[in-house]
Amino acid sequence: MTCHTLDIDRWNLECEFNNTDHRTDLNGIDRLIVRRGQPFSISLYLRSGSYQPGVSSLDFVAETGPQPSEQYGTRASFGLSASIDTSCWSAAVTSPPGDMVALSICSAPDAPIGRYTLTLGHSARIEFILLFNPWCPGDAVYMDNKENLAEYVLAQDGIIFRGAYKHPIPTPWNFGQFESGILDVCLRILDMNPKYLKNPGKDCSGRRNPIYVSRVLSAMVNCNDDKGVLLGKWTGDYEGGVSPMLWRGSVEILRNWDTQACQPVRYGQCWVFAAVACSVSRALGIPCRLVTNYLSAHDTNSNLVIERYVNENGELVQSKEMIWNYHCWVENWMTRPDLKPDFNGWQAYDPTPQEKSEGVYCCGPTPVRAIKEGELTFKYDAPFVFAEVNADVITFMKKKDGSTSKVSSNALVGQKISTKSVGSDAREDITHLYKYPEGSAEEREAFKKADHQNKLLQQQQNQGLHLNIKVTSDMRKGCDFDVFAVVTNNTQSEKKCRLLFGSCALSYNGFMGGNCGFKDLLNVELSPGGERKVPLRLNYSKYGGQITEDNLIRLAALLLDYTTGDTTLAVRNVVLDNPEIKVRILGEPKENRKLAAEITLQNPLPERLENCCFSIEGANLTGGAIQTLQLQLLGPVGPGEDAKVKIYFTPTHSGLRKLVVDFDSNKLCHVKGYRNVIIGK
């Protein structure tokens, strides 16, 4: 019996069915987008003859990248088989004999992701996009929990935690990975990476591996070595670009990069870099979450120790090694076949350009488990991430005469490591995934493995004099309030001390600004076992002009014991609350019915707010895409008065949606609120 090749006239890629089945329909259903290791269907209409089992044949060639080759795994040839084999490229007919042939085609679960051409026989060529498949057990990014997949792959909005470790502040973010055109931008990011430009065949081959893709993204989300997406800037002048505070989501950033010929978008800071990386990872099908590490150490010389210096007033002397008030990175979920099975799961990678890794500004992916266990030889950049959460802090005082002396301090590193909870906006504390409990035997074991001698030698001495800083819960921008230095004498003898208590503006990455209040008490006397509480008044008239848009103030108390000459330092960062934006939905939300919302914010400052503007953003609220409405208030808003606007919109989809509202004015810059809107079916 001779085989004859099917004579194909036309075909239907069944995009709506396939994209829905592969959970890519949110990208649209106008083209074929499928996930690897999972069959998809196409219908062939024959010009002549009909399909005969065992007689009809059809050859397939799947190719990706500019130099497809079987050696690189970027070209696969296969024929028809009796049934689909999901472990490799395969195809089977699923319809009875006739002039319409229903084909089921499956890609290998480790095929490189990207744009593909599939040639069928001599005449038919179809195009599709192949993504990672966290629903497929054979894929390296497989995740077996439905709720986690909904959160870490499909959720288009999320929460980024900022503020301070004693006062985490949730900031809403629109990842928008399924918005129109975003997937194409993400594929373009891969094609602009220097490894691709140097050797496209090898780079496309690497795209089978989520470790490789994550490392490429870590380098490409910043533009320090390449035509990457964002340019970082940490000083207050954002001329020629947008302040990092003003971004509400990744969509505008990615579109700007794409339309401006891959020129870097200005400007990003850590949470913006991380959020864009999260959008791209999710768009490509890698489960991803954004993580905030409070009091994050930046260790430049890899000795796991941050050496910081203060002057004789307890003010920090700026140096390269710093402790950021918080720092954000991302974690991608995958197996690590290059390491032991214990190190599968979440892998930290950081697109914020800080230090070079293999000559390029990138960091990770490194297994979160390796950080916890102190396994610092594992790829990639484990020592840097370990230091961010575990570095030791040693403080020295630089005196006027040039000499230095050691100061005992209460400095902490790596606190309240946070991410958004699955299925809710609550904060999930994941510190235990990065480190063992402080002082535990396992922690000591991890430090031994990491060769972190300083932490091992540290014995907690309960010093004779104890110093800490207490604050009130009600520290709102615009108010005057007190903060307190509390000195306790744990010795049996009288103590005479000098106390310096100061405050200054602070940006989240540790840079100091102007003085917000200072006190120098030369004679603090304490009886044995006695305690003294010293207040420092922070007046809006003084701090209002100093603080940055981060709303942070650094408090530092320095205690000098006259009898022993010992110096103790206590430091605390406080974040001032912005006023709450209230969103009131008027009426019952229903699909395709006009709805009103009233938005108010009370001016907390003792002065008028000028040039006030509300920005409102929401998906599926105003006809499909994400839309931003900007509403300028006509007149100024006096002290204690409400800024108020009413908006009208028509929800276009059923389900849960978020309305993100920003308020911008000259004095009360950029306050962000958000609210869930539930739309009735």
Side-chain angles (χ1 to χ4, degrees):
M1 205 188 291
T2 55
C3 281
H4 71 85
T5 302
L6 293 175
D7 182 16
I8 302 164
D9 177 33
R10 57 194 172 85
W11 53 87
N12 182 344
L13 298 184
E14 311 294 354
C15 296
E16 184 172 359
F17 170 78
N18 287 319
N19 292 10
T20 305
D21 192 42
H22 284 245
R23 301 173 180 86
T24 61
D25 51 312
L26 288 167
N27 288 299
I29 50 169
D30 53 337
R31 56 182 175 162
L32 185 58
I33 304 171
V34 293
R35 298 186 185 275
R36 58 190 199 169
Q38 180 179 340
F40 59 93
S41 309
I42 59 175
S43 304
L44 304 179
Y45 297 90
L46 304 180
R47 192 175 286 115
S48 61
S50 64
Y51 167 71
Q52 300 295 328
V55 177
S56 309
S57 74
L58 192 57
D59 292 325
F60 300 84
V61 180
E63 298 178 311
T64 184
Q67 301 157 3
S69 85
E70 302 203 341
Q71 176 207 340
Y72 275 148
T74 48
R75 181 177 194 272
S77 311
F78 53 102
L80 281 174
S81 37
S83 61
I84 283 291
D85 179 353
T86 54
S87 69
C88 59
W89 285 93
S90 61
V93 173
T94 58
S95 57
D99 57 0
M100 192 286 280
V101 181
L103 272 184
S104 182
I105 299 167
C106 189
S107 61
D110 62 349
I113 60 150
R115 296 178 193 282
Y116 272 81
T117 303
L118 181 66
T119 310
L120 298 83
H122 306 302
S123 51
R125 277 169 72 85
I126 69 166
E127 291 185 347
F128 64 94
I129 292 173
L130 187 68
L131 301 178
F132 288 108
N133 191 354
W135 286 268
C136 167
D139 196 313
V141 300
Y142 175 62
M143 194 176 232
D144 64 354
N145 180 305
K146 234 164 78 181
E147 286 77 23
N148 288 1
L149 286 159
E151 181 70 54
Y152 300 134
V153 185
L154 300 177
Q156 289 205 77
D157 55 62
I159 298 287
I160 299 171
F161 289 94
R162 292 169 52 210
Y165 98 95
K166 293 212 169 165
H167 190 50
I169 294 178
T171 303
W173 191 269
N174 169 38
F175 295 112
Q177 68 269 30
F178 300 118
E179 288 295 317
S180 166
I182 293 302
L183 178 56
D184 298 283
V185 181
C186 297
L187 294 172
R188 189 177 186 188
I189 289 170
L190 297 181
D191 287 349
M192 289 308 293
N193 102 74
K195 291 176 177 170
Y196 176 88
L197 300 174
K198 195 171 153 194
N199 186 340
K202 194 175 172 197
D203 177 76
C204 285
S205 171
R207 295 180 193 180
R208 65 176 62 233
N209 184 349
I211 305 168
Y212 179 83
V213 171
S214 301
R215 191 143 174 85
V216 165
L217 294 182
S218 166
M220 282 301 293
V221 169
N222 69 69
C223 66
N224 286 42
D225 312 276
D226 43 48
K227 283 188 167 299
V229 178
L230 276 159
L231 179 63
K233 192 162 196 199
W234 284 267
T235 50
D237 165 29
Y238 301 115
E239 223 167 285
V242 173
S243 155
M245 295 282 167
L246 293 175
W247 301 115
R248 290 174 202 87
S250 311
V251 175
E252 197 183 342
I253 294 169
L254 290 165
R255 283 187 182 148
N256 286 358
W257 177 80
D258 187 47
T259 53
Q260 292 161 14
C262 308
Q263 289 303 304
V265 176
R266 298 156 194 261
Y267 294 101
Q269 286 177 9
C270 72
W271 72 93
V272 185
F273 286 109
V276 169
C278 184
S279 297
V280 180
S281 291
R282 287 182 185 180
L284 298 175
I286 306 174
C288 183
R289 65 184 184 185
L290 197 144
V291 167
T292 302
N293 176 39
Y294 288 97
L295 300 178
S296 189
H298 181 168
D299 176 24
T300 54
N301 60 3
S302 304
N303 67 349
L304 307 182
V305 177
I306 303 292
E307 293 179 350
R308 61 175 187 179
Y309 294 86
V310 294
N311 63 20
E312 289 176 286
N313 286 342
E315 296 159 346
L316 213 51
V317 178
Q318 216 75 56
S319 72
K320 263 188 88 176
E321 294 208 318
M322 295 168 77
I323 298 170
W324 293 31
N325 189 51
Y326 62 84
H327 180 52
C328 299
W329 58 76
V330 278
E331 294 173 359
N332 276 358
W333 178 270
M334 67 192 76
T335 57
R336 288 298 296 258
D338 56 330
L339 305 172
K340 297 194 290 257
D342 300 1
F343 298 97
N344 293 338
W346 290 117
Q347 314 288 318
Y349 83 93
D350 189 350
T352 299
Q354 295 183 86
E355 298 293 319
K356 286 193 172 186
S357 167
E358 297 178 341
V360 175
Y361 278 101
C362 66
C363 177
T366 192
V368 171
R369 181 75 192 272
I371 303 306
K372 183 170 180 171
E373 301 298 344
E375 296 280 8
L376 303 195
T377 56
F378 288 178
K379 288 181 165 179
Y380 291 88
D381 310 305
F384 188 78
V385 182
F386 183 86
E388 287 180 306
V389 300
N390 278 316
D392 203 9
V393 184
I394 300 177
T395 309
F396 297 95
M397 185 191 286
K398 257 193 180 150
K399 299 185 178 153
K400 286 196 182 76
D401 63 8
S403 67
T404 60
S405 63
K406 206 167 168 185
V407 175
S408 59
S409 83
N410 60 348
L412 296 166
V413 159
Q415 298 295 306
K416 265 195 190 162
I417 304 174
S418 304
T419 190
K420 176 190 172 301
S421 293
V422 172
S424 93
D425 288 342
R427 187 183 72 84
E428 183 186 344
D429 195 306
I430 55 168
T431 312
H432 63 283
L433 299 181
Y434 279 86
K435 47 211 270 191
Y436 283 106
E438 208 74 30
S440 65
E442 295 93 336
E443 185 196 44
R444 294 187 70 76
E445 203 47 51
F447 289 152
K448 249 186 219 153
K449 239 184 250 171
D451 198 20
H452 192 5
Q453 297 306 324
N454 282 68
K455 274 265 166 100
L456 288 167
L457 295 171
Q458 251 183 6
Q459 293 306 317
Q460 288 303 313
Q461 325 100 328
N462 183 12
Q463 284 161 323
L465 283 173
H466 190 254
L467 174 67
N468 70 359
I469 295 172
K470 294 220 160 119
V471 300
T472 58
S473 57
D474 199 24
M475 295 181 292
R476 289 197 315 276
K477 200 175 185 175
C479 297
D480 300 344
F481 55 89
D482 287 321
V483 292
F484 303 92
V486 183
V487 189
T488 317
N489 178 7
N490 294 328
T491 70
Q492 303 303 308
S493 50
E494 289 263 338
K495 285 284 183 189
K496 222 181 206 184
C497 317
R498 178 181 180 185
L499 177 71
L500 297 106
F501 192 12
S503 60
C504 68
L506 179 73
S507 65
Y508 88 95
N509 62 328
F511 277 90
M512 251 77 60
N515 168 26
C516 299
F518 185 76
K519 188 175 256 190
D520 184 357
L521 300 178
L522 291 169
N523 269 324
V524 177
E525 293 186 359
L526 290 153
S527 55
E531 184 179 279
R532 178 91 187 267
K533 198 174 181 185
V534 177
L536 176 67
R537 187 84 173 153
L538 294 185
N539 294 310
Y540 174 71
S541 57
K542 181 117 195 217
Y543 73 73
Q546 302 288 354
I547 58 172
T548 68
E549 46 203 354
D550 292 315
N551 275 3
L552 285 165
I553 295 177
R554 175 186 185 267
L555 308 173
L558 191 69
L559 188 70
L560 175 68
D561 182 342
Y562 286 131
T563 46
T564 62
D566 290 344
T567 314
T568 308
L569 174 74
V571 175
R572 181 158 177 182
N573 299 340
V574 297
V575 60
L576 302 187
D577 278 332
N578 272 318
E580 184 195 357
I581 297 175
K582 292 185 173 138
V583 181
R584 204 156 66 94
I585 303 293
L586 309 174
E588 171 124 10
K590 287 241 167 79
E591 223 175 309
N592 298 320
R593 193 168 80 184
K594 203 170 180 185
L595 186 64
E598 186 183 75
I599 296 166
T600 50
L601 171 139
Q602 189 182 49
N603 175 12
L605 305 184
E607 54 197 319
R608 297 194 319 176
L609 297 178
E610 316 269 350
N611 304 326
C612 303
C613 173
F614 279 105
S615 304
I616 297 101
E617 186 176 282
N620 301 327
L621 294 169
T622 39
I626 289 192
Q627 302 239 331
T628 304
L629 304 167
Q630 295 228 315
L631 301 171
Q632 195 81 31
L633 262 62
L634 295 172
V637 181
E641 286 182 5
D642 281 345
K644 189 180 282 191
V645 292
K646 203 182 252 188
I647 61 155
Y648 296 91
F649 55 91
T650 308
T652 54
H653 283 42
S654 63
L656 189 69
R657 289 290 170 260
K658 284 198 174 68
L659 213 55
V660 177
V661 185
D662 279 350
F663 179 78
D664 220 341
S665 78
N666 55 342
K667 294 263 179 2
L668 196 68
C669 199
H670 206 64
V671 183
K672 193 174 257 186
Y674 67 106
R675 147 91 194 239
N676 286 339
V677 181
I678 298 159
I679 296 156
K681 291 218 164 114

